[in-house]
Amino acid sequence: IKYSPDGQLLASGSTDANIGLWRADGTPIKTLKGHRASVWQVAFSPDSQILATASGDATVRLWTRDGNLYKTLDAHRAAVWGLTFSLDGEILATASIDQTIRLWNRNGKPLVTVREYEPWPFTPVNRFWPPPEMTRRLSCGISIASSLLIPCPMPVTGCKIISEPIRLQTQV
């Protein structure tokens, strides 16, 4: 469940494959249909104009603010469990249990695929983190024991892994 950044809308995913869209006061606006499996994540773009939804059907769907479907992203090969927009809203990152992270522009054009070979357990993409020395970096986790930093210069023409996954040793 997520509020839009402008605070006017609320969206939630459901195990019935639908997305609920409400006004911030709880008044229902629309039920968004199209996914074929549970909707695991929802995210609004920073300008609140795009709603992205991630599903167990291996797709990400992009919806307009008023709930109209305008793009289906179907490049993942398994359930998509995580997604997030960059702070400027120009890039969407998606993470799947197919062990890939994909970056898209805000219109759904694929930019890059990052592959990680760490098996289960899985945690989704965390956030975009803009450090002062770079335009932006993507901090993401594919498993509890690894993370990747990917430089994403503007304009994004491609990204690459700048560090190998970090393996953490824990003692129990």
Side-chain angles (χ1 to χ4, degrees), residues 14-26:
S14 176
T15 58
D16 68 2
N18 295 324
I19 301 101
L21 189 61
W22 295 275
R23 288 186 181 81
D25 66 5

Side-chain angles (χ1 to χ4, degrees), residues 9-171:
L9 300 173
L10 180 67
S12 68
S14 176
T15 58
D16 68 2
N18 295 324
I19 301 101
L21 189 61
W22 295 275
R23 288 186 181 81
D25 66 5
T27 305
I29 297 173
K30 194 173 191 179
T31 299
L32 312 182
K33 298 178 181 285
H35 284 294
R36 297 176 315 278
S38 297
V39 177
W40 297 110
Q41 287 282 328
V42 297
F44 283 97
S45 60
D47 64 4
S48 302
Q49 297 304 305
I50 299 171
L51 173 64
T53 58
S55 173
D57 66 7
T59 68
V60 172
R61 293 179 188 259
L62 303 178
W63 311 81
T64 61
R65 178 183 178 85
D66 57 356
N68 293 314
L69 178 66
Y70 77 87
K71 186 79 170 184
T72 300
L73 313 179
D74 60 1
H76 285 292
R77 292 175 285 118
V80 182
W81 280 16
L83 53 76
T84 191
F85 280 94
S86 61
L87 294 177
D88 64 5
E90 293 301 314
I91 299 172
L92 175 67
T94 60
S96 169
I97 63 172
D98 69 4
Q99 300 176 344
T100 63
I101 296 166
R102 294 180 183 271
L103 302 182
W104 316 81
N105 75 10
R106 71 181 283 128
N107 296 316
K109 178 184 174 195
L111 300 174
V112 69
T113 300
V114 179
R115 298 198 186 282
E116 168 65 50
Y117 303 101
E118 186 74 25
W120 197 262
F122 172 82
T123 55
V125 168
N126 294 358
R127 65 185 189 281
F128 274 91
W129 172 62
E133 71 274 9
M134 293 192 71
T135 304
R136 90 175 96 234
R137 286 187 186 195
L138 171 65
S139 171
C140 49
I142 287 292
S143 77
I144 291 170
S146 69
S147 66
L148 302 171
L149 288 177
I150 307 156
C152 297
M154 285 303 289
V156 174
T157 55
C159 296
K160 64 179 181 173
I161 297 172
I162 62 168
S163 68
E164 288 301 312
I166 301 165
R167 306 287 184 232
L168 301 175
Q169 299 296 322
T170 58
Q171 296 189 12

